[in-house]
Each structure stands twice: as C-alpha cells, then as structure tokens.
C-alpha cells in the first residue's frame, strides 16, 4: 500500500465572465472557506492556496487561512507557495504563528522565491529591493532563514532595558511550537531541490519545472525528488523528508464532467515544453478520463509514486458544488484503487 495524503490546490481565480461562479473577490474568498468545509467532509487531507500578486487570484493568505481554520476541524491548511520576495519575514512569522494557533497546528506552509508574474519587479512596489550583488532567489532564501529562526523563537531584536529590565534578545510573540517542522519549499529545478534538502525543508513540486532535459515530466520530477532526498540524508537532518507534487486530475464521471472537460482530455494528455523567464520549461500533463483510466495512468507516474502528498489543482471558478464532487470522485473512485487510501 502506497498511502498518500490527498489535498487540493486552489488559485482562487475570480472574474466576471460567463460561467464563472466567482465573479468577484468576495465570492472567491467565501467559496474558499466553503470548499475547505466540503473537502473535509468528503475525506480530503489538505486545503492549499496558491498565492499571486497583481492578479485576480488569492493574494494575502493568512486572513483566509484563519477563516478556513475556524470553519473546519481536521483538514490541513496550507499554501503553495508564498512568494518571499514580497514578505517581511518577521511580520509574516507573527501572522503564521497566529494562524497556526487558531488552526490547532494544522498549517502546512509552502514558501519560495515565487513564480513568474505579471508585475515587473513587483516586490519593489511593496518596499523590498534586492540587495546589491544578490539574486532574487538568494534574497528569498535569506528571508526564509530569518523567518524560520523567528518561528523557532530565536531572538530577533535587542530588548530596551528601560522597558524590560534586561538587555537580552526578544523573540516574536506568539510562537506556535512545531510550525518550523511544517515548512515546505517550492522547487522548480533539480539544483534548487538539492538546496531544499540541505536546508531541511519539506519539498513542494508543482506541474511546472523551469528546466527541460527531454525526459518526460514525471521522470524529471522523480529525479528532482531523488536529488532532494539524497541531499536531506547527506545533511544529516532528523525525521523523514516529505514531498508534495501537484497534478491536474479530472475524473469524467458525470455528464457535467464530460461537458466541461471531455474535449480537453486528448489535447492535454501530454507534457508541454515552452519558454519561460529566458529558458525552457516543462509543463506536466493533465489527467482527464474515466476513473479506471486515471488509475492506470497515475500508477505509471514516477513522481506521484515518490510523493507523500498529492495536491489536485481545482477549477475554483466552477463553484463549490462542482469541486466538492470532483474531489469526492478522486477520494472514492481513484485513490482506493491506487492504494492511496
């Protein structure tokens, strides 16, 4: 049995176009809370939010995650990922700790350098300039170090003796014990996966790799995972490294499924290669078909086999009812035959 956790990843799209159930930001936010409740009901393990800036999608995740926590009891709540270029690591540490305390320790926090975006150096508009001689990836890694040390309770500022009676270092407050063990780093290359393993973060890998070797997406991603786990072991970290992968999985069960996705099944059944940020990138295929067909195809996916958590990307604009049924079909008609349940 290859028992895995099953989660979903929502981009939180909203737009007032024909067929959209999320014409406004308010609709997308309220439905995100409702979908977490429905996903918990049908047995899904995790509800994850994709974070984007300067786009009609989820942006500031912590208020929404806290609301989702209050509306649920069991399901894990996470991000995939928060772009650290845009963040103050100490303020984010406070927000993350508070959200984790509200949830009862259910936060699974994905962070990284972030993905390509519509804004040109958008983080600078938020007040964060890349230090001279440092890449944006290095800036994000530096912020990650500050953030992780802060949530662990490290002193981050000297106390004012007149106010505190001592001149030692002060930590952020509150703290949420164990949150530092539930940090995930979003990696798009084999080189960054090695860094993730060395640092002792859990690994998040999505449906996009920002490199291409000519191998299939799942084979390249499985190589990335193997490099990560080897780096983790060589670094001597305790515990077991955890890996999540994202997949587009659409079981065609109802007439509605066929109407929305049937014609896309053939067109999206293969990887795609394109140019992104000046280099080649490989995009993973979609899994669309009858449950029996999906079981056969997913069983042959090398990266899925190596993962501990499978995050299903959901078409949130189709509404809570549709996505709850989609997730229930995966939990009841696909996962058991794969041994995930």
């Amino acid at each position: 049995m290859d028992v895995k956790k099953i989660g979903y990843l929502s981009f939180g799209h909203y737009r007032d176009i024909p067929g959209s159930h999320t014409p406004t930001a308010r609709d997308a936010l309220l439905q995100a809370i409702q979908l977490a409740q429905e996903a918990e009901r049908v047995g899904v393990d995790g509800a994850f939010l994709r974070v984007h800036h300067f786009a009609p999608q989820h942006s500031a995740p912590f208020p929404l995650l806290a609301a989702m926590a209050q509306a649920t009891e069991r399901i894990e709540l996470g991000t995939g990922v928060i772009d650290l270029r845009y963040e103050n690591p100490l303020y984010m540490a406070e927000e993350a700790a508070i959200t984790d305390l509200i949830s009862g320790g259910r936060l699974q926090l994905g962070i990284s350098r972030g993905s390509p975006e519509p804004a040109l150096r958008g983080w600078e508009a938020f007040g964060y300039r890349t230090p001279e001689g440092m890449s944006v990836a290095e800036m994000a890694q530096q912020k990650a170090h500050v953030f992780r040390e802060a949530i662990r309770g490290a002193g981050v500022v000297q106390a004012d003796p007149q106010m505190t009676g001592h001149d030692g270092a002060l930590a952020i407050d509150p703290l949420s014990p164990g949150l530092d063990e539930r940090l995930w780093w979003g990696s798009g290359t084999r080189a960054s996966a090695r860094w993730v393993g060395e640092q002792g973060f859990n690994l998040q890998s999505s449906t996009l790799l920002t490199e291409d070797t000519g191998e299939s997406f799942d084979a390249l991603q499985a190589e990335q995972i193997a490099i990560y786990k080897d780096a983790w072991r060589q670094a001597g970290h305790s515990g077991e490294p955890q890996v999540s992968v994202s997949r587009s999985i659409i079981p065609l069960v109802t007439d509605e499924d066929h109407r929305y996705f049937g014609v896309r099944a053939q067109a999206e059944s293969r990887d795609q290669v394109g140019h992104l940020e000046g280099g080649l990138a490989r995009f993973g295929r979609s899994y669309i078909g009858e449950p029996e067909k999906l079981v056969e195809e997913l069983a042959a996916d090398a990266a899925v086999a190596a993962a501990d958590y499978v995050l299903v990307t959901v078409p949130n604009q189709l509404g809570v009812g549709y996505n709850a049924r989609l997730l229930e079909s995966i939990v009841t008609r696909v996962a058991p035959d794969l041994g995930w349940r």
Side-chain angles (χ1 to χ4, degrees):
M1 293 285 287
D2 186 19
V3 177
K4 299 184 189 299
K5 289 183 177 180
I6 302 170
Y8 70 86
L9 177 64
S10 174
F11 283 55
H13 293 289
Y14 56 91
R15 199 172 179 187
D16 191 5
I17 57 175
S20 174
H21 289 247
T22 56
T24 70
R26 174 178 167 81
D27 294 314
L29 293 166
L30 294 179
Q31 289 185 31
I33 300 167
Q34 295 161 8
L35 183 56
Q37 291 175 306
E38 288 299 299
E40 181 173 80
R41 180 185 62 81
V42 303
V44 172
D45 299 296
F48 287 70
L49 306 176
R50 185 69 173 89
V51 180
H52 278 288
H53 298 286
F54 300 108
Q57 300 174 40
H58 292 320
S59 54
F62 290 107
L64 180 53
L65 288 168
M68 293 162 66
Q70 278 293 87
T72 57
E73 297 179 355
R74 176 194 58 79
I75 196 168
E76 293 180 331
L77 306 165
T79 53
V81 294
I82 295 174
D83 187 336
L84 289 178
R85 295 176 296 181
Y86 283 82
E87 298 294 331
N88 177 315
L90 298 185
Y91 184 65
M92 180 175 150
E94 292 179 337
E95 290 188 305
I98 290 169
T99 305
D100 196 46
L101 290 169
I102 291 171
S103 76
R106 289 184 280 144
L107 197 59
Q108 300 285 342
L109 201 59
I111 57 178
S112 85
R113 189 220 82 156
S115 62
E117 57 173 10
L120 183 62
R121 302 183 70 83
W123 60 93
E124 292 185 355
F126 276 50
Y128 304 114
R129 293 196 173 273
T130 310
E132 188 174 348
M134 183 180 290
S135 69
V136 291
E138 290 169 335
M139 178 177 73
Q141 291 170 358
Q142 182 186 67
K143 287 187 175 187
H145 174 74
V146 174
F147 171 75
R148 182 160 63 171
E149 289 304 301
I151 64 173
R152 285 174 170 171
V156 296
V157 66
Q158 292 304 117
D160 182 344
Q162 292 184 336
M163 293 290 292
T164 64
H166 66 87
D167 59 0
L170 299 177
I172 66 159
D173 201 354
L175 295 170
S176 187
L179 177 57
D180 63 308
E181 298 174 3
R182 288 176 272 116
L183 297 181
W184 303 69
W185 188 272
S187 167
T189 66
R190 291 165 296 173
S192 63
R194 179 177 291 106
W195 179 86
V196 179
E198 291 169 350
Q199 299 302 310
F201 290 110
N202 298 311
L203 177 72
Q204 278 188 344
S205 189
S206 73
T207 54
L208 166 67
L209 294 173
T210 52
E211 61 180 347
D212 182 51
T213 63
E215 291 185 280
S216 66
F217 178 87
D218 71 298
L220 181 58
Q221 193 173 49
E223 183 182 352
Q224 178 196 36
I225 293 169
I227 289 170
Y228 159 72
K229 290 184 175 180
D230 184 60
W232 173 291
R233 286 190 292 269
Q234 289 191 27
H237 297 298
S238 60
E240 289 296 321
Q242 297 294 298
V243 175
S244 76
V245 297
S246 300
R247 291 292 184 270
S248 176
I249 304 173
I250 309 287
L252 298 180
V253 175
T254 67
D255 291 342
E256 190 177 29
D257 297 329
H258 283 275
R259 185 168 67 252
Y260 281 133
F261 297 103
V263 296
R264 293 169 53 179
Q266 188 64 34
E268 299 183 15
S269 63
R270 291 180 290 274
D271 296 349
Q272 297 180 44
V273 178
H275 289 272
L276 193 65
E277 292 192 330
L280 284 177
R282 182 166 285 267
F283 302 82
R285 56 163 295 183
S286 295
Y287 289 93
I288 305 173
E290 284 69 26
E292 298 77 12
K293 177 174 179 285
L294 297 186
V295 168
E296 180 181 345
E297 292 176 344
L298 286 164
D301 187 311
V304 168
D308 306 285
Y309 222 133
V310 178
L311 302 182
V312 179
T313 57
V314 294
N316 76 285
Q317 285 183 286
L318 294 183
V320 174
Y322 181 80
N323 282 290
R325 289 191 295 274
L326 182 153
L327 292 170
E328 187 169 20
S329 293
I330 293 170
V331 169
T332 62
R333 304 188 63 165
V334 177
D337 287 342
L338 284 165
W340 298 355
R341 279 290 189 271

